[in-house]
Every structure is written in structure tokens, then in C-alpha cells.
Amino acid sequence: MNSMEWTIQAGRTVEIREGDITRVAADAIVNAANSGLVGGGGVDGAIHRAGGPSIMRELDGIRARIGRCPTGGAVATAAGALPAKYVFHAVGPVYRDGAHGEPELLASCYRKCLRLAEERGVRTISFPAISAGIYGYPIRDAAAVALREVAAHLGNPANSVERAIFVLFGDSAFEAYLAVWRTLRAAK
Ligand code: AR6
């Protein structure tokens, strides 16, 4: 299995690995959800299948309270049968051309998930490539946003998150993240 790890500062690491996010243990697993919080295909389908019906029941309650979750936002539930305590359901933007606020909305998803993590004292968090599937975000552009936001968060020693794991589905998504990470490192 492909995997690569970098130390941001002492005890703070970012890992990029190929795999199925439902099989990777973490305190919090991030889901690529939709505004309706109603489940769907892609990683959302996989998370609900592996986590079981308790996650959707909890989302039913959240929906009853708040209605839809805006794009760029995220909500937290427990993780059912998944190897985690929490699932953060993040709503990424549908990609049009990159000039309709997509980078800001995607960055907002990562920041919101990291805030939910801090509020819960989460130390390890896993992310899929939010928006880079059905929502059509070009994978390298999505990776640049994701890696920048997460590395910045891990660079702050006051934060509780110690380890972020990007779990990428398939070799080409993994290679895209790796290439972007190398570019970001070289630019420093
Ligand atoms: N583990 C890790 N990554 C996965 C997995 C998995 N098990 N399954 C798919 N991916 P997508 P989006 C990758 O489409 O673009 C849903 O219907 C996938 O290859 O899951 O944000 C929701 O309900 C891709 O790289 O999410 C929304 O309606 C990445 O996860 C909509 O899709 C994201 O692809 C959200 O679309």
C-alpha cells in the first residue's frame, strides 16, 4: 500500500495514504457529504454502509434542528461501527470553474472540521479528498487547498490535533496528493 508521512513539527505529522477511509482508525473520520445530509454515493455511501444506521438517525435529528448544512460547513455525529469516535460530515462545493468561490468554500470545510476536532480534543483525524469525486473538483487543486489548511493547523502547537491522515481512493489520487505536497514543500 502506498503511504508517505511528514513531520510538520515535533509530534505533528501529516500522512498521505492510499486506501478506504472506513478501514483506517482515527478519533474522527471526515465524510464528503451533501447539504441535505441525506447520504449518497462515493465516500458518503461507504461511511454509512460501514458505520451503520445510527449515523443517519443522528443526522435526522441534526436536520430537524438546523435544516440543511451550508456548503463549506460540517456537522459532527458519533461514528457507529466505524473505527472512530466521531464522523464530521463536511459539505464541499460543487466545482464549476474555480471562479465561483470554490477554493474558499473548500478551505472552509477543512477549517470547520478542524474546529470540530479541537472542540472535541481530537488527536487523529482522517480526510477523504472532499469534492474531488462526484462534485468534480480537480484533484490537484483540491489537494493544494487540503494540504495547506491542514499543515497550517498542525503547525500551531496549541492545537490538539497531532496527526492528520489523507486517505485517498486509488493510485492516481494518491499520486496527485504526493505531487502537490512535494510542490508545497519545495516552495517553502
Ligand atoms: N475511502 C476514501 N476515499 C473514497 C472512498 C473511500 N471508501 N470512496 C470514494 N472515495 P465523493 P464529493 C473518494 O464523490 O466529490 C456523495 O453522493 C473518491 O474517489 O465521495 O465531495 C455525497 O452525498 C474521491 O476522490 O465526494 C455528495 O452528494 C473522494 O473520495 C457528493 O457525493 C470524494 O468523492 C459529494 O461529492
Side-chain angles (χ1 to χ4, degrees), residues 26-61:
D27 293 337
I29 294 176
V30 174
N31 181 19
N34 52 63
S35 280
L37 303 171
V38 290
V43 71
D44 198 3
I47 281 176
H48 283 284
R49 270 195 306 278
S54 63
I55 298 176
M56 190 53 81
R57 276 200 298 275
E58 199 175 341
L59 286 174
D60 291 342

Side-chain angles (χ1 to χ4, degrees), residues 127-174:
F127 292 96
I130 300 169
S131 282
I134 294 165
Y135 281 180
Y137 212 114
I139 185 91
R140 284 193 177 219
D141 296 341
V145 170
L147 288 165
R148 231 184 269 124
E149 291 302 328
V150 169
H153 189 84
L154 287 170
N156 182 347
N159 288 334
S160 72
V161 177
E162 294 172 350
R163 183 175 183 80
I165 311 166
F166 289 98
V167 186
L168 289 325
F169 212 50
D171 192 55
S172 69
F174 173 79

Side-chain angles (χ1 to χ4, degrees), residues 58-125:
E58 199 175 341
L59 286 174
D60 291 342
I62 291 172
R63 228 179 292 116
R65 281 201 311 279
I66 69 163
R68 300 170 73 79
C69 177
T71 302
V75 300
T77 66
L82 288 165
K85 291 190 197 116
Y86 308 105
V87 177
F88 300 154
H89 305 264
V91 184
V94 176
Y95 189 85
R96 288 167 69 186
D97 55 6
H100 288 81
E102 296 95 329
E104 294 77 15
L105 289 165
L106 187 60
S108 163
C109 278
Y110 284 94
R111 283 199 293 269
K112 176 71 183 183
C113 288
L114 291 164
R115 195 174 332 132
L116 292 172
E118 293 299 325
E119 287 164 4
R120 289 161 180 77
V122 160
R123 292 160 79 165
T124 57
I125 183 167

